[in-house]
Amino acid sequence: MEHNKNDKLVFWGCFIALITTSMAFIFRAILIGSGVWPEALGIDAVQANRLFGAGLWPFAISIILFSLFIDYVGYRFAMLFSFVCYAGFAVLALMGHSALQAGGADAQAAAWNYLYWGSVVLGLGNGTVEAFINPVVATIYKDEKSKWLNILHAGWPAGLVVGGIIAIGLHGAVSNDWRILLIFMFAPAIIYVIMLFKVKFPVNERVAAGSSYRQMLAEFGAVGAFIASYLIFRELAGAFPGMPEWLMYSLIAVSTIGFGVYCRSFGNPLLIVLVIIMMPLAITELGTDGAISGLMEGAMEEAGWNPAWVLVYTSAIMMVLRFFAGPVIKALTPLGLLMACSALAIVGLFMLSKAAGLIFIFGSATVYAVAKTYFWPTMLGVASEQTPRGGALTLNAIAGIGMLAVGIVGGPIIGMFQEGSVTSSLKEEMPQVYSEVTTQSSIWLGEYTALDGEAVAKQPEEAQAKIETIREHGAQAALTKMTIFPAIMLIGYIGLFLYFKSKGGYKPKVLEAAH
């Protein structure tokens, strides 16, 4: 199908919008992770993680909530709203810098507030970008959704590559004045708003086919609403610790029941299966990255390389492969590709759990990078191809649920895996100090045994060094346990493959425009 100049301009504008979100994500991660902001603000690791999280939970929540009314306010409004959010973040970040420069007793507290709420605004903007670019591209290329959503989402690793190279090149300058990164982040935002300001956005496939708003909600249904509302309100309860638990559960119940009563549906069973699979998928793709990056950074530093090159390398692999997703999807079908990637992810994670030395780590990371390349956009494509009546909601909700699952479920489970692996090794290798340096902790998922940092610090230096070695090896070994996530995905995709085979094979559903 031939596409006109307007459609191509819309696509590439959306592509650059996604690059903006990616660069905003990586620049903020660098400023926090490298210690630039924590040192300037005088905050500890816990507060730094809270500042980092301020840009994530609004991202995920706005993807879902914006999708409920984006067909009413329009894609142009969503695009402009995202740009206003980027501008708002830039202004608040500059105000935070000015507060620090002015000095005074409350300078750091004032700067913290500016940067925290600026991060929240930025997260809303990033989520809004995802909320409009996914349905726009799925509508323009409704006959090849999986292919073009993969190409669109090459914009995410592209932004990481560009942002990583900029960060490496300006390392010293950023340490002296981090405002320079705001210029590079805001540049693509200006480009995409200029590109998309006067274009003609497509009418969503669902709207063009005359499918009603209630039918869109019915695809998601009460079950989908329960999963989404549970994750949203649990995330908000974590972001705002003062929220009573009874209020959280009341909001979940009201949202689920109200949604179900209005749409009169439990949801499309196929979509619910995809939503459930999306959670381990997101954990596999995003949740394990921190552990993997940590492993590779040590080897990189020993070799005298900037650790950021690891991110650039793996992101470049993903970017290139996503541009050439079309022939791969055609050869394997979307479900065949997802099955192959799940199997490859199991292999990649297992290799990383045993990796030692720069070459082996890079080789293992290459396998893992190839495996996770097609996960996210292909799942979005499958959801859109199989539930077109769900419009923007089902396409974006599955992405938002995946992101929320990473922080709420994936992070804690991966942490428990790592702590369990470390303490098990410690009990085996240093039983004489095991009870002295471990403690019982708990999260909402249950209890676990963890290292007690203060108790470890009281041990002799020789014992501390040995415990640190055990900790490093134990954390790496935990990657073996993380293969459970792609294993669950593989089982789910095999089940879906057999289901579609019984129906005559995988075929996308396309809604015909109403006349």
Side-chain angles (χ1 to χ4, degrees):
M1 180 180 176
E2 289 294 323
H3 292 277
N4 58 38
K5 184 178 179 180
N6 178 81
D7 288 349
K8 292 176 180 177
L9 186 60
V10 171
F11 175 82
W12 290 111
C14 290
F15 185 87
I16 294 175
L18 186 55
I19 286 179
T20 307
T21 73
S22 181
M23 291 181 68
F25 173 85
I26 192 59
F27 284 158
R28 212 173 58 87
I30 288 170
L31 289 171
I32 295 172
S34 65
V36 173
W37 277 2
E39 185 177 336
L41 297 172
I43 58 177
D44 58 27
V46 174
Q47 292 170 310
N49 280 327
R50 185 178 169 219
L51 180 59
F52 184 68
L56 296 182
W57 60 261
F59 190 151
I61 292 172
S62 64
I63 294 175
I64 299 173
L65 297 186
F66 224 102
S67 300
L68 290 170
F69 55 84
I70 197 168
D71 290 328
Y72 289 104
V73 299
Y75 297 132
R76 192 181 316 280
F77 174 86
M79 180 271 294
L80 293 172
F81 178 82
S82 67
F83 178 78
V84 169
C85 288
Y86 290 130
F89 167 72
V91 170
L92 288 168
L94 290 173
M95 291 173 70
H97 186 274
S98 297
L100 289 171
Q101 294 300 108
D106 298 324
Q108 289 182 322
W112 159 269
N113 283 326
Y114 285 130
L115 292 176
Y116 180 87
W117 291 109
S119 295
V120 170
V121 170
L122 178 67
L124 291 173
N126 285 344
T128 306
V129 165
E130 287 266 4
F132 84 81
I133 64 173
N134 289 328
V136 162
V137 171
T139 297
I140 293 175
Y141 300 99
K142 63 180 182 180
D143 296 320
E144 296 179 298
K145 292 177 182 177
S146 293
K147 170 186 172 180
W148 284 97
L149 283 169
N150 266 281
I151 297 174
L152 170 67
H153 281 266
W156 178 265
L160 297 181
V161 170
V162 174
I165 292 173
I166 289 173
I168 292 169
L170 299 175
H171 180 69
V174 170
S175 298
N176 294 325
D177 190 345
W178 45 263
R179 289 178 298 177
I180 191 170
L181 289 184
L182 297 178
I183 298 172
F184 287 100
M185 184 213 79
F186 205 59
I190 294 173
I191 293 171
Y192 86 73
V193 80
I194 292 174
M195 291 178 69
L196 298 176
F197 189 73
K198 290 187 177 181
V199 298
K200 181 180 179 182
F201 283 99
V203 176
N204 186 271
E205 181 185 10
R206 173 193 71 82
V207 177
S211 183
S212 70
Y213 184 73
R214 192 190 296 269
Q215 286 177 311
M216 178 183 79
L217 300 185
E219 288 286 288
F220 198 52
V223 176
F226 169 73
I227 296 172
S229 60
Y230 178 84
L231 292 173
I232 287 172
F233 289 117
R234 180 161 284 283
E235 181 70 21
L236 288 175
F240 302 99
M243 179 186 288
E245 198 164 85
W246 66 264
L247 177 59
M248 179 187 76
Y249 285 113
S250 297
L251 291 170
I252 293 168
V254 170
S255 300
T256 303
I257 294 170
F259 196 97
V261 168
Y262 178 77
C263 70
R264 299 193 294 270
S265 168
F266 285 107
N268 184 324
L270 178 59
L271 179 68
I272 301 306
V273 171
L274 293 175
V275 165
I276 292 171
I277 295 175
M278 188 67 179
M279 289 190 273
L281 181 151
I283 294 168
T284 299
E285 179 171 342
L286 303 176
T288 59
D289 279 355
I292 291 169
S293 297
L295 288 172
M296 296 176 71
E297 282 174 15
M300 293 290 283
E301 287 171 352
E302 286 179 14
W305 285 57
N306 189 311
W309 282 116
V310 175
L311 179 65
V312 173
Y313 171 73
T314 53
S315 298
I317 291 174
M318 294 177 67
M319 178 183 67
V320 173
L321 291 179
R322 284 181 177 178
F323 270 116
F324 296 97
V328 181
I329 292 172
K330 187 175 181 179
L332 298 178
T333 75
L335 288 178
L337 177 57
L338 289 167
M339 283 192 292
C341 288
S342 298
L344 198 59
I346 294 172
V347 174
L349 285 171
F350 185 79
M351 289 174 64
L352 279 163
S353 73
K354 309 296 181 185
L358 192 63
I359 294 175
F360 192 4
I361 290 176
F362 257 106
S364 303
T366 300
V367 174
Y368 179 72
V370 172
K372 69 174 185 171
T373 291
Y374 299 114
F375 277 151
W376 197 278
T378 306
M379 269 295 276
L380 295 184
V382 171
S384 184
E385 287 174 350
Q386 297 304 318
T387 61
R389 291 189 185 279
L393 176 61
T394 53
L395 177 58
N396 288 325
I398 194 171
I401 286 171
M403 291 190 67
L404 288 168
V406 173
I408 298 170
V409 182
I413 288 179
I414 290 172
M416 290 174 71
F417 282 167
Q418 290 179 330
E419 290 289 354
S421 182
V422 170
T423 53
S424 293
S425 298
L426 184 66
K427 188 173 185 179
E428 183 178 330
E429 297 183 37
M430 300 180 69
Q432 69 277 11
V433 300
Y434 172 77
S435 60
E436 298 176 17
V437 298
T438 58
T439 183
Q440 290 298 119
S441 297
S442 65
I443 54 174
W444 69 276
L445 289 168
E447 294 187 351
Y448 62 96
T449 304
L451 272 181
D452 186 333
E454 292 184 5
V456 171
K458 294 177 182 178
Q459 296 293 314
E461 288 187 11
E462 184 179 345
Q464 288 185 44
K466 189 173 182 180
I467 291 171
E468 177 60 22
T469 300
I470 292 172
R471 188 195 65 77
E472 290 177 355
H473 291 165
Q476 179 178 357
L479 287 169
T480 303
K481 298 179 182 178
M482 295 178 202
T483 58
I484 186 65
F485 301 122
I488 292 171
M489 293 159 54
L490 181 58
I491 293 170
Y493 290 134
I494 290 173
L496 287 173
F497 176 81
L498 295 175
Y499 167 76
F500 280 104
K501 187 177 181 180
S502 70
K503 300 288 185 180
Y506 182 91
K507 296 182 183 67
K509 297 178 181 176
V510 178
L511 299 179
E512 296 299 328
H515 296 287

